[in-house]
Amino acid sequence: MKLLYFIALLYLLPACSRNEGKSYQDIVRPVRVRTVALPGALDKVYTGIVAAEEFSDLAFKVGGPLVEMNIDAGETVRKGTLLAAIDPTDYQLQNDGNKAAYITARSRLERDRRLLEMQAISQQEFEMSEAGYIQSRSAYRASEKALSDTRLYAPFDGFIEQKYVENYQKVQPGERIVRLVNPDKLTVWFVLPETSVGLTREQMQVTVEFDIYRGLRFQARVQEFVDASPGGAGIPVRLILDDPLFDKTKYPVYPGFSVRVNLRTDNRIADHYVVPLSAVFMDPLTERTAVWRYYPENSTVTALPVTIGSLFGSDNVLITKGLQDGDVIVVDGMNFITEGQKVDVLTTELTVF
């Protein structure tokens, strides 16, 4: 949307000066110019946050009143540790009844199988006995599973990041009980602005710097990113720390810690140039995006058609076609000049980003 809005504005800005071209032809206008060059490297810094790569909001598959809740937030637990338990009384009674029914049905099936071999009962009677056995067996297994589900165990080593309920509280099936986090498997999340989405298509060197360990940068890599901008807030990107020098015992970090994410593209973006937004306008004669190219040999300017890509930051734009190394373009004062007009250069700069 920003880019479309910017292009629409380009139609309006230079219209006045181009329509009045001849009347201003002899006026020497002051301008600022820059010599464009392919960027050797692009550096961007963003703010991110440490998050757990492995975590789980644990819940019971059955409901009932809690009778055991012996852990607190921040507590470290081992895999298999009992975290909480629901009153098993009703589930135990149900399981006992289903177990008795299952044993009875199994005995009846064994008896009817012998009777069928002696042709003392019909095939239909045997099949009814077999169906009763299968039904009772399923009910017994289900009640046995429900009984075991009254106890909640840690599925992996970690620490309790959050406790959602208290002991003796009645909980529902699927209601969150605790969040278990594995602190040894960390990831870094940050949001890439829409205007810099092109960086996800380039080869990047990614480093992270934890706020509590300023001056130390650790290598990371992009694990995944959402190729969309939810709510227009930017592109969520997840990084994985894969630097062999990052020793968590030496540099303990935990979910919630703040980090600075540095993205650096050392490779040149072929034929692409980053120029200020102020240098680009819409030529009303050709209805094409253009820049004013400056010719130092006669101090004149001419409109040079260019193709623009995405916005780069808040005040620059990527030019994907039309420019070459060494081109000198007007970056300030471009709305008051016309085709072929002489200009007075105030400063000459080399574009550096």
Side-chain angles (χ1 to χ4, degrees):
M1 288 301 293
K2 273 186 178 178
L3 192 55
L4 293 176
Y5 178 69
F6 165 68
I7 293 174
L9 286 178
L10 294 179
Y11 276 101
L12 303 177
L13 293 177
C16 216
S17 57
R18 295 306 300 266
N19 290 338
E20 302 173 1
K22 290 186 177 180
S23 61
Y24 288 94
Q25 194 70 29
D26 298 327
I27 301 176
V28 178
R29 292 288 184 183
V31 296
R32 297 183 187 274
V33 299
R34 285 186 184 178
T35 303
V36 299
L38 284 172
L42 296 175
D43 279 283
K44 293 289 182 179
V45 178
Y46 303 97
T47 300
I49 189 169
V50 178
E53 182 182 5
E54 185 179 27
F55 69 91
S56 180
D57 283 331
L58 302 179
F60 288 101
K61 294 181 180 179
V62 297
L66 288 173
V67 293
E68 192 170 347
M69 187 76 172
N70 299 322
I71 47 93
D72 292 310
E75 184 175 338
T76 300
V77 297
R78 305 288 295 178
K79 180 179 179 180
T81 300
L82 177 64
L83 304 178
I86 287 177
D87 185 354
T89 303
D90 292 341
Y91 297 97
Q92 184 67 63
L93 292 173
Q94 182 68 45
N95 185 62
D96 291 344
N98 288 341
K99 182 179 180 180
Y102 165 69
I103 293 174
T104 300
R106 184 178 60 184
S107 299
R108 182 180 296 114
L109 179 64
E110 292 172 354
R111 182 199 63 190
D112 288 351
R113 181 177 286 111
R114 292 192 297 269
L115 292 176
L116 180 65
E117 291 172 354
M118 294 183 296
Q119 297 184 347
I121 61 173
S122 65
Q123 180 67 33
Q124 183 179 8
E125 289 175 313
F126 173 76
E127 290 175 353
M128 291 179 61
S129 179
E130 187 177 39
Y133 164 75
I134 294 174
Q135 184 176 8
S136 63
R137 183 184 61 183
S138 298
Y140 171 52
R141 288 179 176 176
S143 62
E144 194 172 42
K145 179 65 168 58
L147 179 61
S148 67
D149 286 340
T150 61
R151 300 171 72 81
L152 188 64
Y153 297 93
F156 52 83
D157 295 348
F159 74 94
I160 305 301
E161 183 181 65
Q162 189 170 355
K163 186 169 70 170
Y164 300 106
V165 297
E166 297 297 334
N167 202 12
Y168 308 115
Q169 180 178 333
K170 186 174 183 180
V171 298
Q172 301 298 322
E175 182 179 352
R176 296 185 301 176
I177 305 301
V178 295
R179 167 168 288 194
L180 180 64
V181 170
N182 185 345
D184 296 325
K185 294 184 178 181
L186 299 177
T187 185
V188 172
W189 282 97
F190 74 101
V191 176
L192 189 66
E194 295 175 351
T195 53
S196 299
V197 66
L199 290 176
T200 59
R201 308 293 188 263
E202 304 295 336
Q203 282 191 334
M204 295 184 296
Q205 291 183 356
V206 185
T207 58
V208 297
E209 180 183 3
F210 299 100
D211 284 356
I212 62 171
Y213 303 116
R214 284 295 179 90
L216 295 176
R217 289 189 177 184
F218 299 100
Q219 294 178 1
R221 60 180 172 84
V222 176
Q223 184 180 46
E224 66 176 3
F225 63 91
V226 180
D227 203 358
S229 178
I235 311 297
V237 181
R238 184 166 75 167
L239 305 176
I240 291 297
L241 291 169
D242 57 359
D243 194 327
L245 298 179
F246 177 69
D247 183 353
K248 194 172 181 301
T249 60
K250 186 176 180 181
Y251 307 106
V253 294
Y254 299 96
F257 280 25
S258 297
V259 300
R260 291 161 55 88
V261 179
N262 178 261
L263 305 183
R264 179 182 174 88
T265 59
D266 281 331
N267 58 311
R268 291 172 173 248
I269 307 175
D271 300 326
H272 292 185
Y273 299 82
V274 179
V275 303
L277 282 172
S278 61
V280 184
F281 68 95
M282 187 68 71
D283 190 337
L285 298 183
T286 62
E287 295 188 350
R288 293 189 60 183
T289 307
V291 297
W292 289 116
R293 182 177 180 182
Y294 171 70
Y295 294 90
E297 57 270 17
N298 55 14
S299 300
T300 61
V301 294
T302 187
L304 178 65
V306 295
T307 302
I308 63 175
S310 60
L311 289 175
F312 202 86
S314 60
D315 54 3
N316 297 293
V317 66
L318 200 66
I319 302 297
T320 61
K321 188 177 181 181
L323 289 178
Q324 295 180 358
D325 270 0
D327 283 346
V328 182
I329 63 172
V330 177
V331 296
D332 193 13
M334 43 82 69
N335 293 321
F336 300 97
I337 54 179
T338 60
E339 181 70 31
Q341 186 173 3
K342 284 195 173 186
V343 295
D344 181 22
V345 175
L346 299 180
T347 57
T348 302
E349 304 172 12
L350 176 66
T351 302
V352 178
F353 293 94

